Amino acid sequence: MGSTTRDRSVILYFGDQTEKNIPFEELFEYSKESDRTRQFLQNALHSIQLAIETLDGPERSKYKFDSFEEASKRLAADTSPDVVLRTIVLCAAQLGYLIAVLEKDPELLEIWSAQKTIIVASCAGQLPAAIAASSHTIDELVDLAPETVAIAFRIGMDVDRRTASLGDDRSQSWAKAVFGISAPDAQKAVDKFLLSEVSQFTACRVSLVYLN
C-alpha cells in the first residue's frame, strides 16, 4: 500500500537539560537568512530582558546578557552549568530549531500543520513541546515562542531558588539519562528509591516539626 505525506506521522522529540548538543551556532547562522528565526530570537531576547529587569540587583546582574550567543557561550564555558541559563538556552534553541526545520522541510511542515506529528518531551522540553503542539502555522509559532522562552526563564529561576532553599549542591544536574533498562525495571528502581529515601526524608521532617 502506498503512502502520502498526509498518511505519514513523524516524531518531534524535545529533550531535557541533559541535552548537550544545543545547536545554537547553526541557528545563529540560519537567522541571517531567515526573517522568522531572526524575529523570534530578537523578540525572545526582549521578553527575557523584561523578565530579568524585575529581579533584585544581584540576580539581575547574574543573569543579564545581551544576546543568546553570549548566553550560550557562557553556558558552554561553565563547568557547572547554571540551571537558569541552561533552561533558557535549551528552550530558545528548541523553538528556534523547530522554526528553522519547518521552513526548510515543506513535507514536515505539511505533516506538522495537519497535526499528524507525534510530540514527545521530557522535563524542560515539555514547555516548547506544548507550543509545538498548539501552533498551526509557523507565524503562529513565531508569535507564541518568545513569551514561552520568558516562561522558561521564570521556571528556571523558581527551580534554582527552591534548590537553594534545600541547601543542595547545585554544581551538578539533578537529571540523569539512563540507557539499557526496560520501563518496568526503571519504574521498580524509582519505586524502591521513593520508599527508601523519600519516606526517610518525610519521617525526618515530621520529627523536626514535632520538636519545634
Side-chain angles (χ1 to χ4, degrees):
M1 181 176 66
S3 65
T4 65
T5 300
R6 294 182 183 277
D7 296 327
R8 295 174 54 197
S9 293
V10 296
I11 296 175
L12 294 178
Y13 174 68
F14 295 82
D16 59 17
Q17 288 99 325
T18 59
E19 292 284 347
K20 295 182 179 180
N21 184 26
I22 301 177
F24 239 119
E25 288 187 6
E26 60 185 76
L27 195 59
F28 293 141
E29 286 300 314
Y30 181 69
S31 68
K32 296 176 182 178
E33 59 183 82
S34 167
D35 291 338
R36 288 190 181 108
T37 306
R38 185 167 57 254
Q39 178 187 344
F40 157 66
L41 291 174
Q42 290 172 346
N43 291 347
L45 179 64
H46 179 65
S47 295
I48 289 177
Q49 288 176 332
L50 290 177
I52 290 174
E53 287 302 314
T54 66
L55 301 176
D56 294 334
E59 286 184 332
R60 186 164 61 247
S61 299
K62 180 179 180 180
Y63 293 112
K64 186 175 182 179
F65 56 89
D66 296 322
S67 69
F68 282 113
E69 186 173 14
E70 176 189 340
S72 62
K73 286 181 178 178
R74 281 171 54 182
L75 189 63
D78 195 346
T79 55
S80 301
D82 183 273
V83 65
V84 179
L85 283 180
R86 178 167 283 278
T87 303
I88 295 170
V89 171
L90 178 68
C91 184
Q94 288 178 330
L95 288 170
Y97 191 70
L98 177 61
I99 293 168
V101 296
L102 289 175
E103 285 187 329
K104 293 178 181 179
D105 190 335
E107 186 177 9
L108 175 60
L109 175 60
E110 184 177 355
I111 296 171
W112 173 75
S113 298
Q115 295 190 317
K116 290 186 177 291
T117 51
I118 299 171
I119 297 178
V120 181
S122 63
C123 197
Q126 294 180 67
L127 188 57
I131 301 303
S134 57
S135 302
H136 303 285
T137 66
I138 299 180
D139 289 333
E140 188 176 14
L141 178 63
V142 172
D143 287 340
L144 294 172
E147 183 57 31
T148 305
V149 180
I151 292 172
F153 168 74
R154 289 190 282 270
I155 291 173
M157 286 298 305
D158 187 60
V159 169
D160 190 60
R161 288 166 178 163
R162 289 175 184 270
T163 304
S165 70
L166 294 174
D168 205 344
D169 179 10
R170 288 183 286 171
S171 64
Q172 299 183 38
S173 173
W174 285 7
K176 298 293 181 184
V178 180
F179 301 94
I181 183 172
S182 67
D185 287 342
Q187 187 61 56
K188 288 178 182 177
V190 171
D191 292 342
K192 182 178 179 181
F193 170 79
L194 292 175
L195 287 172
S196 62
E197 301 294 334
V198 177
S199 60
Q200 291 179 17
F201 177 75
T202 303
C204 178
R205 292 289 295 176
V206 170
S207 65
L208 287 173
V209 172
Y210 176 77
L211 289 173
N212 288 335

